[in-house]
Amino acid sequence: MGIGSRRAARSQAATASGHAHVIQVSGDGNTVCASGPEDPAPMLRLPAEPTHLAGREKEAEAVLALLAPSRARATPVVSVLSGLPGIGKTALALHVAHQAVTRGWFPGGVLFLHLRGHDPAGPVGAEEAIGTLARALCVDDAVTPDEQTGLCQGALNRLADEGRAVLLIADDASSAAQIERLMPARSVHRLLVTSRHLLTGPSFQARLFGLDELAPRGAADLIAEALRHARPDDPRLRETDAITELAGHCGHHPLALQIAASLLTTDPGRAVVELVAELADAHTRLDVLRYEDGGHTTAVQAAFHLSYRRLLPHHRRLFRQFALNPGPDTSTDAAAALWGQSRARTRNGLAALARAGLLAEQPVGSGRWRMHDLLRVYAARLVDSDSAKWRSAAFTRLLKHCQKLVQAANAHLHTIDDGPLPDDFRDRAHAVQWLEEERANLMALIARAAATGHPRAVLDLQETMRPFLLSRRSYATDAVTVTQLAVDCAREIAHPCCEATALNYLSQILPGCGRVDEAVEAASKSLDISRSRGDRMRQATALTSLGASLRRASRFEDAVEAHTESLTLSRELGDQGCIGKALMGLADTLHETRRYEEATDVLTESVRHFAALGDWHGEGLQLMRLGDTLFAMKRSTEAVDTFRRALVLYQERGDEHHQAIALQNLWSVSDLSAQEAVDNYQRLVAVCHKVCDRALESVALNALGDKLKQLDRYEEAVAAYREAAAIHEERDEERLLLKVLNNLGIALRTAGRITEAVEVHEREIELARARGDRHKEAEALERLATTLRCGRRRLEAVEARVRAVGVYREQKDTWCEGRALGDLGLRVRDAPRADRTKAGYTLVLTHLPPDDAIGQEVGILFALMVMHVRGGHVIAAFWAWASLTKLVVRLLDEGGKQVPEQYLHTVKQLMKTAVHGVRPLRALSAWRTRLRRPAT
């Protein structure tokens, strides 16, 4: 407040009880101060503490730690809470202020100043703010603002000397200059500032604390708590899934969540799913997130608009253009392409948006910028009002930028010549990293391009993205999506040749998603289009793809026929590239059908063909395929020589990636000692990691673990298996992950780490069950039983083995069932009188009551116990009985009220069947004989 308005301010004071005055502070709360400057003792009736602060527990503790009394010299006096509009900065500040007062940290008082940094009427000036503080401290007799600042600092220093710390809260500050005069000179006091901007400056040093949106659980809790506070018995509280979805539509943004909660609490008949449906459309979402109460409107869009209008005009354009990128985040280079400005200027503009709370660099220093979902909707609404020509120009610049970089990255990944590589990326690893980071953005960009009339860009991006997407099993669905979009775009522009090519690509991708029949159909359509147009070149290509699809469909004769026709047609055309592809397809089909002699002849011809063309990449691949075939024919020496030829070829060309592949193939067929193999595989892992070939790296790590186990280096083997498992999980390769988990569990068990081994085996069991692979599940259960037995957890081991027996019985795998029963002590195969034992075991199981609801495991344990008693195996019978009892007790704990009755009924039935064969005296005699038998 200016000095000239002090008289008006004094007129707002009223006499309080005693010798004090009550002063209105910026319209929020009352300050009581002493009647004279001799005893400044500010006290504040803070605005009420927020009712709901769900999901901010960690942030509250962190801010309280900044406010806590400390004697350290480095204690921050000023702390700034910054974040998006409506993110909950003021609510958090009030919460921690009340907590601090309750803990007695600020006996000198608390002062809350609302600086109205984004108020349409204008912010509170620095002089007005220091005037408010002066009146609160009862030192407002100065003439100039500088004198007033000096008096305030003197009063605060006296309070510090008396040990009476003061907390100042400056809410909604818009600039550092607005609060510089409020900064206490002594570290005993604290100034807590909330602002949408990151407040910094040469004379303003503060501890910055950024607030993000709530976690999904905390956001759902905030809505639920608001409903519960209004009506504790609100039936909508049971709609937990709908509440979680509602929180997601609100972007987990506190202001949006509070508006959604208010819409529900004021309309008790409104179902949560109804509001979810209204918010599902992103175009109208901001209109729904609006609450009106007696002429006062609270809206998310209004909060955003206050921040947006404070931006400079060119920063407003950047903010709007940011929404044109449909992906989840935007790199600095992509933003520069959108804006049409230099990278340096774009970085400064993005930083300005981040300071305004409208953007965030995540993680800091990564050059990747993210806008909150609701802000993106707001920006998209703004950019829609711009001219279509302006929007199209910006989006076209982004498309060209991405096309250029994808082509450059693809050149690094799949180079087949000796020419210079694009300098957009340092090496192959850098290119792979960029593709990984941009994949989600590129997928969204292709979809947007297809929807906004850029079919040529879609066709180009699809062709260059496809090799990378096919390199990861988990990206196969993305590859199908973009290729289908390419097919649609080719049809849109009525270009049959592009359509045939896209269908051909689609047929190559679909088998990786298990859609083999669709792949055959796509290849057939491509072939039909090519034949109808008399395009013999595309016809040959389509035949090769059709042959590959037919091979994946196990229609091998048809596949051989298609590849042979393609080879014949390619030779007639003299197309050396098509000849090579047809030879490769024919060789693969012959190899898979074990027609190795024919495959060897075709592969030998293929190697000569690529060598004659000077295509060293194709020559090396065919050499490795030939080596595989020779090894399958048990011609190991020739296989080793063939792999070495491929390795030398790649070494001459400096292709580290394919050197690694050739090395892996060479070592897999070579007779190496365990130590040599370990050294070699360690080098291979390093090379694979360098060139970002995660698939081959996982194979090498698994092989390394196997060799380390042979050398009894179990701890190192465990580390290798864990890395391999992490890669398979990253790539969603469940089948390969199962194999690695098997090896990892055994290695952990051998290393004596039983608890970890059990966890791994349980993960293996869970994964096999999820895949529906019952046989793998049973095998994993057996391994779990072995591990539990090694850990002296005998009862759990018996239970696991019995579960495996039950699975084998369901699968009618009698051989594996017999093996598992043998591990339980019941010899039902390859043992004297095994037939009688098996018959007795089967008899007991078949006489179980048909209405037995206890489960298969109980029946198997009963049968085991009876047959062990018959055979005189008292100890084995005891463990079966103990496991049975434990199982029944567990069923009782789970609430099976009829379990005792069923248990006794089953015992009765079994005793009728088994009692005539039980010879307890003979069993005891056999046991005594076994105990007396001398140890060997």
Side-chain angles (χ1 to χ4, degrees):
M1 181 178 293
I3 301 301
S5 58
R6 281 184 294 140
R7 188 171 301 171
R10 285 197 181 109
S11 66
Q12 297 178 9
T15 304
S17 59
H19 302 282
H21 300 286
V22 180
I23 302 175
Q24 185 74 18
V25 181
S26 301
D28 289 290
N30 298 321
T31 298
V32 182
C33 71
S35 56
E38 302 84 13
D39 185 24
M43 298 180 61
L44 177 72
R45 190 176 66 196
L46 278 170
E49 185 175 2
T51 308
H52 313 300
L53 200 71
R56 290 292 192 208
E57 293 79 9
K58 291 183 179 179
E59 290 87 344
E61 289 299 323
V63 178
L64 278 170
L66 296 174
L67 301 183
S70 174
R71 294 183 179 179
R73 291 186 178 181
T75 301
V77 176
V78 183
S79 302
V80 178
L81 300 181
S82 61
L84 294 173
I87 204 68
K89 303 178 290 293
T90 302
L92 180 61
L94 288 174
H95 172 77
V96 297
H98 279 277
Q99 293 291 315
V101 169
T102 301
R103 299 181 187 188
W105 290 352
F106 297 102
V110 182
L111 180 64
F112 184 93
L113 299 100
H114 183 28
L115 301 183
R116 303 193 305 271
H118 297 81
D119 195 298
V124 172
E127 296 178 358
E128 185 178 354
I130 194 63
T132 301
L133 176 60
R135 289 194 303 278
L137 295 171
C138 299
V139 291
D140 59 340
D141 295 330
V143 176
T144 66
D146 290 338
E147 291 179 0
Q148 216 167 32
T149 302
L151 290 175
C152 288
Q153 292 295 343
L156 289 172
N157 290 341
R158 287 195 299 274
L159 288 170
D161 292 336
E162 297 170 5
R164 298 159 66 184
V166 174
L167 171 62
L168 306 178
I169 301 176
D171 183 52
D172 194 20
S174 60
S175 65
Q178 195 178 12
I179 52 176
E180 282 181 346
R181 293 180 180 273
L182 301 176
M183 294 173 58
R186 303 283 287 273
S187 61
V188 69
H189 305 301
R190 296 287 188 272
L191 172 60
L192 181 60
V193 184
T194 71
S195 176
R196 301 182 185 187
H197 294 259
L198 290 174
L199 301 182
T200 57
S203 60
F204 182 78
Q205 303 297 321
R207 177 69 60 86
L208 304 179
F209 192 94
L211 286 184
D212 291 323
E213 63 265 26
L214 297 174
R217 179 65 180 272
D221 288 346
L222 191 150
I223 296 176
E225 185 59 33
L227 293 175
R228 188 177 295 108
H229 182 77
R231 297 177 184 84
D233 58 347
D234 194 326
R236 293 174 295 182
L237 289 168
R238 294 191 289 268
E239 300 179 37
T240 54
D241 292 341
I243 290 175
T244 301
E245 189 176 358
L246 175 61
H249 284 325
C250 292
H252 308 129
H253 187 279
L255 177 59
L257 294 167
Q258 291 167 357
I259 293 174
S262 298
L263 293 173
L264 291 173
T265 53
T266 55
D267 186 358
R270 188 180 202 173
V272 180
V273 291
E274 293 180 12
L275 185 54
V276 169
E278 292 180 43
L279 292 173
D281 186 356
H283 295 92
T284 60
R285 188 171 298 164
L286 292 178
D287 294 330
V288 177
L289 290 173
R290 179 186 184 90
Y291 181 75
E292 297 182 1
D293 181 22
H296 177 70
T297 301
T298 304
V300 174
Q301 180 167 314
F304 293 163
H305 188 66
L306 290 174
S307 292
Y308 169 75
R309 71 177 189 170
R310 289 179 56 85
L311 296 174
L312 296 174
H314 58 286
H315 289 159
R316 292 183 189 178
R317 285 197 302 273
L318 177 58
F319 175 76
R320 298 195 305 273
Q321 284 176 322
F322 199 92
L324 293 175
N325 179 23
D329 61 6
T330 303
S331 67
T332 304
D333 291 329
L338 272 171
W339 201 20
Q341 300 292 335
S342 67
R343 191 181 192 282
R345 188 179 182 192
T346 303
R347 171 83 200 193
N348 292 335
L350 293 170
L353 294 180
R355 286 195 299 273
L358 300 175
L359 210 61
E361 187 180 16
Q362 295 181 344
V364 175
S366 65
R368 306 200 67 81
W369 305 83
R370 177 181 173 272
M371 185 180 285
H372 189 273
D373 293 344
L374 294 178
L375 267 173
R376 183 179 288 276
V377 173
Y378 174 67
R381 175 170 291 188
L382 291 176
V383 81
D384 283 344
S385 62
D386 292 318
S387 71
K389 183 178 179 180
W390 183 80
R391 294 197 308 269
S392 178
F395 188 70
T396 301
R397 288 195 299 270
L398 178 63
L399 275 176
K400 289 181 178 179
H401 165 79
C402 291
Q403 284 176 268
K404 174 178 177 291
L405 289 180
V406 172
Q407 289 171 354
N410 193 50
H412 279 271
L413 265 66
H414 304 283
T415 180
I416 59 174
D417 54 40
D418 299 324
L421 292 171
D423 58 2
D424 299 274
F425 301 101
R426 295 185 300 273
D427 49 27
R428 184 178 189 275
H430 186 204
V432 171
Q433 179 187 359
W434 182 84
L435 286 169
E436 289 285 357
E437 291 175 348
E438 291 288 348
R439 180 185 62 85
N441 286 313
L442 290 169
M443 290 295 300
L445 186 69
I446 292 171
R448 175 72 65 86
T452 55
H454 296 83
R456 296 287 181 180
V458 173
L459 292 169
D460 178 71
L461 283 169
Q462 175 272 146
E463 188 162 357
T464 48
M465 278 286 291
R466 182 174 50 87
F468 166 71
L469 294 175
L470 291 179
S471 68
R472 302 292 172 89
R473 184 182 300 272
S474 56
Y475 298 162
T477 303
D478 288 347
V480 170
T481 300
V482 297
T483 309
Q484 187 61 64
L485 285 173
V487 172
D488 296 338
C489 286
R491 289 171 180 166
E492 178 186 336
I493 61 177
H495 201 308
C497 294
C498 289
E499 182 182 354
T501 301
L503 283 168
N504 187 45
Y505 290 150
L506 187 61
S507 70
Q508 298 170 15
I509 299 169
L510 286 169
C513 300
R515 298 161 63 178
V516 179
D517 293 337
E518 295 176 65
V520 173
E521 182 182 356
S524 300
K525 287 181 179 179
S526 178
L527 181 59
D528 292 340
I529 293 173
S530 302
R531 280 176 173 164
S532 66
R533 294 182 57 80
D535 190 338
R536 303 182 72 201
M537 191 74 70
R538 282 190 171 83
Q539 187 178 336
T541 303
L543 281 166
T544 300
S545 297
L546 177 60
S549 301
L550 289 168
R551 175 174 61 85
R552 295 292 295 270
S554 300
R555 295 166 56 181
F556 298 111
E557 293 302 324
D558 294 337
V560 169
E561 183 180 344
H563 284 306
T564 303
E565 184 181 351
S566 174
L567 182 59
T568 302
L569 184 57
S570 299
R571 282 172 174 163
E572 291 175 2
L573 294 169
D575 189 315
Q576 302 302 315
C578 288
I579 292 172
K581 292 177 181 178
L583 286 170
M584 285 192 290
L586 180 58
D588 288 343
T589 306
L590 293 170
H591 179 96
E592 193 160 340
T593 54
R594 300 179 184 272
R595 295 160 64 176
Y596 296 131
E597 292 290 349
E598 297 174 71
T600 301
D601 294 339
V602 174
L603 285 166
T604 302
E605 181 185 355
S606 179
V607 170
R608 287 197 299 266
H609 173 80
F610 284 108
L613 290 177
D615 185 350
W616 57 268
H617 182 69
E619 181 185 355
L621 291 177
Q622 294 309 99
L623 280 169
M624 287 191 284
R625 283 189 170 98
L626 178 59
D628 286 335
T629 305
L630 291 168
F631 185 72
M633 298 170 68
K634 302 188 184 306
R635 294 160 62 178
S636 301
T637 303
E638 295 174 72
V640 169
D641 291 339
T642 304
F643 284 129
R644 281 181 177 156
R645 285 173 58 192
L647 178 60
V648 169
L649 184 64
Y650 288 125
Q651 286 174 336
E652 290 175 351
R653 303 294 178 174
D655 188 338
E656 290 185 320
H657 181 213
H658 286 90
Q659 281 182 52
I661 298 174
L663 284 170
Q664 196 276 333
N665 282 283
L666 176 61
W667 295 334
S668 66
V669 301
S670 300
D671 187 15
L672 301 173
S673 69
Q675 185 57 56
E676 288 177 319
V678 165
D679 295 339
N680 288 334
Y681 279 115
Q682 285 175 336
R683 288 199 296 272
L684 179 59
V685 168
V687 171
C688 293
H689 188 75
K690 179 181 177 182
V691 300
C692 290
D693 189 339
R694 301 287 278 169
L696 184 58
E697 184 180 357
S698 63
V699 173
L701 283 165
N702 194 34
L704 175 61
D706 293 341
K707 298 303 179 183
L708 287 167
K709 276 199 306 185
Q710 292 180 17
L711 295 173
D712 297 336
R713 293 160 62 178
Y714 296 110
E715 295 296 336
E716 296 173 74
V718 166
Y721 287 136
R722 284 199 187 280
E723 287 187 52
I727 293 173
H728 289 313
E729 286 192 283
E730 170 192 313
R731 294 168 55 85
D732 293 332
E733 296 171 335
E734 295 181 344
R735 182 180 60 83
L736 297 173
L737 177 60
L738 275 172
K739 179 181 178 182
V740 175
L741 288 176
N742 172 16
N743 295 336
L744 175 59
I746 295 173
L748 286 167
R749 180 209 308 159
T750 313
R753 295 159 65 175
I754 301 299
T755 303
E756 295 174 75
V758 168
E759 292 175 357
V760 169
H761 287 311
E762 288 175 343
R763 171 82 175 95
E764 185 183 359
I765 293 165
E766 177 186 350
L767 183 59
R769 186 183 299 119
R771 284 174 51 85
D773 193 336
R774 299 287 284 164
H775 200 274
K776 290 288 186 186
E777 180 185 350
E779 291 177 344
L781 281 165
E782 288 195 87
R783 287 189 286 272
L784 174 62
T786 302
T787 301
L788 289 167
R789 188 179 179 88
C790 291
R792 300 182 182 277
R793 294 159 64 176
R794 187 182 294 270
L795 283 180
E796 295 173 73
V798 171
E799 290 178 21
R801 192 87 64 182
V802 167
R803 286 165 59 195
V805 171
V807 174
Y808 288 135
R809 283 188 68 80
E810 291 175 9
Q811 301 297 307
K812 298 182 180 179
D813 188 341
T814 56
W815 194 93
C816 288
E817 181 188 1
R819 181 193 64 204
L821 287 169
D823 292 334
L824 284 166
L826 190 66
R827 304 295 178 181
V828 296
R829 65 182 183 87
D830 303 332
R833 295 181 293 180
D835 292 341
R836 290 180 57 187
T837 306
K838 180 70 174 180
Y841 170 76
T842 305
L843 178 67
V844 174
L845 283 179
T846 54
H847 279 77
L848 283 173
D851 60 344
D852 179 29
I854 297 180
Q856 185 185 52
E857 294 176 37
V858 173
I860 293 172
L861 285 167
F862 266 123
L864 279 171
M865 184 175 64
V866 170
M867 294 311 298
H868 282 317
V869 172
R870 283 185 176 181
H873 306 146
V874 177
I875 295 177
F878 166 76
W879 286 115
W881 171 81
S883 297
L884 176 63
T885 304
K886 180 183 176 185
L887 185 59
V888 171
V889 170
R890 188 173 69 208
L891 291 171
L892 278 171
D893 291 340
E894 292 174 357
K897 298 180 180 180
Q898 296 182 350
V899 168
E901 180 181 344
Q902 293 168 347
Y903 179 86
L904 293 174
H905 182 58
T906 304
V907 170
K908 182 179 178 182
Q909 293 290 328
L910 286 170
M911 289 302 102
K912 288 181 180 179
T913 304
V915 71
H916 68 277
V918 175
R919 301 289 186 271
L921 293 177
R922 188 175 69 182
L924 290 172
S925 176
W927 185 30
R928 184 179 63 181
T929 302
R930 187 177 293 108
L931 291 175
R932 288 179 175 179
R933 187 176 300 156
T936 58

